[in-house]
Amino acid sequence: MKVIDFVLVISVLLLSPHLAAKQLNKSSYSGYGVLTEQNAIILALENNPNLAQMQARYEAMKSLPSQVGTLPDPILSLGAVNFPTDSFERSQEGMTQLQIGFSQAFPFPGKLDLKEEAAKFNAKAAYFDLTEMRMLLASNVSIKWWQIFYLDRAIETVNRNQNLLRQFVEIANTKYTTGDGLQQDVLLSQLELSKLIDKNIQIVALRENQIIRLNVLMNIAPRNTIRLPNKIDLVEKNILSEQQLYQLASQFRPLLQKHKALISAAKSNLKLAEQEYYPDFNVGVTYGNRTGDNPPYMGGDRADLVSIKLGIKIPLYASTKQSYKVKQRIKEQFKSKYAYYDEINQVRADIATNATNYGRSRQQLSLFESGILPQARQTVQSMLAGYQVSEVDFLNLVRSQVTLFNYELQYWQSVSQSNQALASLQASVGRESIYE
């Protein structure tokens, strides 16, 4: 299977992972249903206008090879030749005639093939541009989706902690009323509750901003309401080694395939420039119609005339024209190669960065799940029990609850960041299957 065909299959699988699932469009999502990550990607791929213009550009580029690989249009000429100015009679002079001609230009053999070849490589580069855009769009949608998912969990965490702090306020009020507590405990709990209310306001505003950006990617009204699933299955996935990911990227990343196509186009353009040293040809046929009679010694009607012409374009100024064009194409070829090498380095850097971020997030998740969160929850329960019997200072109780709150936010942030890194890593490699 050719690389371009394989990349097409991979891009389809990456960007429309559940082809058998219900296909969405912007009119079918009204904001009342639950928007999954895959449905968000499908909506963006179907409706994003920037992707649509990239598709139109590719379709336009596909039409070029046939145009540049075809002979120039022939020229049909009509003429009235050698009419006498004293009478403008056709029969007065022997060379007076009405002419019809046909001429066709013929580039030197091989030139049209090279032009068509270069145009095909440029069209292929446009295709990989489109595929790259599709992958980046899918990655951006996935990243935005997971950012909103984190903010949803953050709002839940804030609300849950608000309820706990309200219980603290009630406990502090009860102890203060009975004379077992201090007024400053009541004030401190109310202050922490106010902080959480302010935190909730900030998170809600941030969520609205992220929803606006996601809606724009899906070409939906910016203020359209979005609901995400409350729970999803979090499965730890082991990714391939960085060296294996580098190899996959060199084979499947559309951006690198695009630069390979541009290098091939530059080679064809260089060969075409070298062919410019050879002449082009123009072949013409003219038919002249005459009237009148020949002189008496010849007798008879005047015969019609046929002319055949051959024109040759001479590269007379090759030292200042064709030679400089060859130099230009050589430099363009070097530019394409250097751009390809630069992109390879950037792609590898992106893979290394995203793999590192994914590994870090997974390690943090494991630490939160197995150690930090259970320990922090036990600490709060112990502090609360101790405070109720006046064995623990209220400030320490509040501090332990705030610490648990921050850890819970960090846990969900790690969940979000690990999936964002995974989406970025898949886009950097150019395929979805990057696991062991």
Side-chain angles (χ1 to χ4, degrees), residues 56-71 111-127 262 265 269:
R57 174 177 176 269
Y58 166 59
E59 296 296 336
M61 295 287 287
K62 282 201 307 182
S63 301
L64 285 177
S66 175
Q67 298 177 51
V68 300
T70 303
L71 286 172
K111 287 185 178 180
L112 289 181
D113 291 338
L114 289 172
K115 287 182 179 180
E116 184 174 6
E117 184 179 82
K120 284 181 178 179
F121 284 124
N122 285 326
K124 187 182 292 187
Y127 163 78
L262 291 177
N269 285 327

Side-chain angles (χ1 to χ4, degrees), residues 66 97 100 119 152 287 299 321:
S66 175
Q97 55 190 286
I100 180 171
D152 284 348
Y287 180 84
K321 186 176 181 180

Side-chain angles (χ1 to χ4, degrees), residues 80-121:
V81 181
N82 298 325
F83 272 72
T85 58
D86 57 348
S87 65
F88 291 96
E89 291 289 336
R90 288 185 59 191
S91 60
Q92 179 176 332
E93 298 293 336
M95 293 306 296
T96 300
Q97 55 190 286
L98 296 178
Q99 288 186 343
I100 180 171
F102 180 90
S103 63
Q104 173 68 62
F106 292 94
F108 193 85
K111 287 185 178 180
L112 289 181
D113 291 338
L114 289 172
K115 287 182 179 180
E116 184 174 6
E117 184 179 82
K120 284 181 178 179
F121 284 124

Side-chain angles (χ1 to χ4, degrees), residues 174-425:
T174 300
K175 291 175 66 68
Y176 175 65
T177 303
T178 60
D180 294 333
L182 301 174
Q183 184 182 24
Q184 67 184 29
D185 292 346
V186 178
L187 297 176
L188 177 61
S189 60
Q190 291 175 340
L191 174 61
E192 292 299 328
L193 180 59
S194 298
K195 287 182 179 179
L196 283 181
I197 294 174
D198 177 65
K199 185 75 171 178
N200 186 70
I201 293 173
Q202 296 179 29
I203 295 175
V204 169
L206 185 57
R207 184 184 188 277
E208 290 179 355
N209 289 333
Q210 295 298 337
I211 286 177
I212 290 172
R213 294 175 182 176
L214 179 57
N215 281 335
V216 169
L217 291 176
M218 298 186 299
N219 198 28
I220 293 176
R223 291 294 182 180
N224 189 79
T225 303
I226 287 180
R227 286 198 306 115
L228 269 56
N230 293 327
K231 295 181 180 180
I232 58 173
D233 294 330
L234 300 177
V235 180
E236 183 174 355
K237 301 177 181 179
N238 296 321
I239 61 175
L240 298 171
S241 68
E242 287 188 17
Q243 288 298 328
Q244 290 174 311
L245 294 176
Y246 293 159
Q247 294 175 1
L248 289 177
S250 65
Q251 186 176 0
F252 297 109
R253 178 70 187 270
L255 181 63
L256 299 182
Q257 301 303 319
K258 164 196 167 182
H259 282 283
K260 289 179 182 179
L262 291 177
I263 291 174
S264 298
K267 290 180 179 178
S268 297
N269 285 327
L270 175 58
K271 292 179 181 178
L272 179 60
E274 293 171 344
Q275 288 280 73
E276 293 296 332
Y277 286 109
Y278 301 102
D280 297 332
F281 305 97
N282 191 292
V283 177
V285 178
T286 304
Y287 180 84
N289 176 255
R290 299 192 300 172
T291 62
D293 298 325
N294 288 318
Y297 63 89
M298 295 180 61
D301 297 333
R302 291 172 180 161
D304 294 340
L305 303 176
V306 175
S307 301
I308 298 177
K309 296 180 180 179
L310 173 64
I312 300 176
K313 186 174 73 173
I314 302 175
L316 186 61
Y317 310 106
S319 61
T320 56
K321 186 176 181 180
Q322 281 81 0
S323 61
Y324 276 90
K325 192 167 187 177
V326 170
K327 293 178 181 178
Q328 172 195 343
R329 296 305 188 188
I330 291 174
K331 296 301 180 183
E332 289 176 353
Q333 187 176 22
F334 279 124
K335 182 200 74 171
S336 298
K337 289 182 179 179
Y338 293 142
Y340 172 66
Y341 298 146
D342 183 65
E343 289 294 351
I344 288 179
N345 293 333
Q346 187 59 52
V347 166
R348 290 183 175 180
D350 290 342
I351 290 174
T353 299
N354 292 322
T356 300
N357 291 340
Y358 179 72
R360 172 186 55 79
S361 299
R362 296 308 306 181
Q363 289 176 349
Q364 287 179 322
L365 278 176
S366 178
L367 181 60
F368 279 122
E369 291 171 347
S370 62
I372 293 178
L373 286 178
Q375 294 167 3
R377 293 188 181 107
Q378 291 174 2
T379 300
V380 172
Q381 293 173 358
S382 176
M383 288 284 186
L384 179 58
Y387 174 71
Q388 289 175 330
V389 296
S390 302
E391 293 181 355
V392 174
D393 182 75
F394 185 77
L395 179 60
N396 289 328
L397 171 61
V398 173
R399 284 176 176 172
S400 66
Q401 182 59 44
V402 171
T403 300
L404 173 60
F405 165 71
N406 289 328
Y407 284 149
E408 288 175 334
L409 288 185
Q410 291 176 31
Y411 168 77
W412 288 113
Q413 189 173 41
S414 296
V415 170
S416 174
Q417 289 177 345
S418 67
N419 284 278
Q420 291 179 51
L422 202 57
S424 297
L425 186 58

Side-chain angles (χ1 to χ4, degrees), residues 12-23:
V12 170
L13 292 176
L14 172 63
L15 303 172
S16 300
H18 305 293
L19 297 179
K22 179 180 178 181
Q23 295 299 305

